[in-house]
Amino acid sequence: MNILKRAKSVNTKEKAISNDNFILGKDETLLPKFTRIFGTKYAVNVYYLRVQKPELNLTDSCINIYLPMSFRNRHNQDVLDVILLKMYTAIAEKEIENIMEKARHTFGFAPEDYEIKKMNSILAHFDQNSQSILINPYIVMYAKEIVEYVIFHQFCHLKYKTHSKKFYEMLKMYVPNYETLARQLPNMKY
């Protein structure tokens, strides 16, 4: 019976190879193997296909990245990093707008503007000079509740420039469990 199962899997592989967009193989050398989107864990799989340019397919549990076969013998870590950054930026551009709108209604005021911008070790930052909020696209790796907390934190900076007692009183009024959420962000600035 085991032999029959093995034969069926070989036939399946042969059918896949006859397809015009057949998979040459999975690249196990690239990192990350897993990542998160809004706190949900996704496997990151990189395959080489007959495609003209890199493609990304997001499923319920996987992020499948398809690279052209011509990329096969190259070091593609930088390519993977750029693709994931573009994915996070696209998600952030869509989802952050909704959270910003919720914050505008909740607080009754808003910053001059906000910008999605990659920053090292910083999830978000309120720029006093431009009166705008900078948001790291990688923030969407965290649960939506944490993303909302970080943005509400930045809104509080519109009224209080420093982390004063009044700042934290205001934050607690809008995010009563902010201390619990803050503990989930060790070593991150915002």
Side-chain angles (χ1 to χ4, degrees), residues 2-175:
N2 225 352
I3 296 170
L4 289 174
K5 285 183 182 176
R6 197 178 294 161
K8 285 181 183 179
S9 71
V10 169
N11 287 338
T12 304
K13 287 179 186 174
E14 287 175 355
K15 287 178 187 174
I17 290 173
S18 68
N19 186 343
D20 285 343
N21 293 327
F22 72 94
I23 297 173
L24 286 178
K26 183 176 177 183
D27 192 331
E28 297 288 348
T29 65
L30 302 176
L31 296 174
K33 300 288 185 213
F34 294 93
T35 192
R36 295 187 182 278
I37 299 173
F38 292 121
T40 302
K41 188 175 179 180
Y42 289 83
V44 177
N45 303 310
V46 179
Y47 299 100
Y48 296 97
L49 291 168
R50 290 184 192 248
V51 293
Q52 295 299 312
K53 59 184 179 181
E55 297 176 7
L56 183 141
N57 181 10
L58 181 61
T59 68
D60 290 340
S61 61
C62 297
I63 299 168
N64 294 316
I65 297 170
Y66 307 115
L67 298 177
M69 290 189 292
S70 61
F71 284 41
R72 201 165 149 216
N73 295 322
R74 299 183 194 171
H75 179 69
N76 291 314
Q77 188 63 55
D78 291 340
V79 173
L80 177 61
D81 294 343
V82 167
I83 291 170
L84 289 175
L85 175 60
K86 284 183 178 185
M87 178 194 72
Y88 283 124
T89 301
I91 294 168
E93 286 172 349
K94 180 180 177 198
E95 296 296 327
I96 298 299
E97 179 60 35
N98 296 332
I99 296 169
M100 293 293 286
E101 191 62 30
K102 179 179 180 180
R104 284 184 201 106
H105 288 291
T106 301
F107 285 85
F109 55 84
E112 291 293 324
D113 201 5
Y114 75 94
E115 178 183 354
I116 308 294
K117 179 181 177 184
K118 182 182 173 196
M119 300 176 282
N120 294 329
S121 301
I122 299 174
L123 289 178
H125 173 73
F126 176 66
D127 186 321
Q128 300 287 341
N129 296 329
S130 66
Q131 293 291 296
S132 66
I133 296 174
L134 303 174
I135 303 166
N136 192 328
Y138 290 106
I139 197 170
V140 299
M141 292 175 76
Y142 296 94
K144 282 189 179 182
E145 184 180 31
I146 292 174
V147 175
E148 189 173 292
Y149 154 64
V150 171
I151 290 173
F152 277 42
H153 179 109
Q154 299 310 314
F155 265 73
C156 290
H157 279 302
L158 288 163
K159 188 154 184 158
Y160 301 102
K161 309 304 179 212
T162 62
H163 293 134
S164 64
K165 183 178 179 182
K166 295 234 182 236
F167 173 91
Y168 286 110
E169 287 171 359
M170 181 182 197
L171 184 58
K172 189 168 188 99
M173 185 169 59
Y174 294 108
V175 188

Side-chain angles (χ1 to χ4, degrees), residues 176-190:
N177 64 337
Y178 83 88
E179 293 169 309
T180 303
L181 297 171
R183 282 193 289 275
Q184 295 179 47
L185 298 170
N187 306 319
M188 294 303 295
K189 297 177 185 175
Y190 54 93

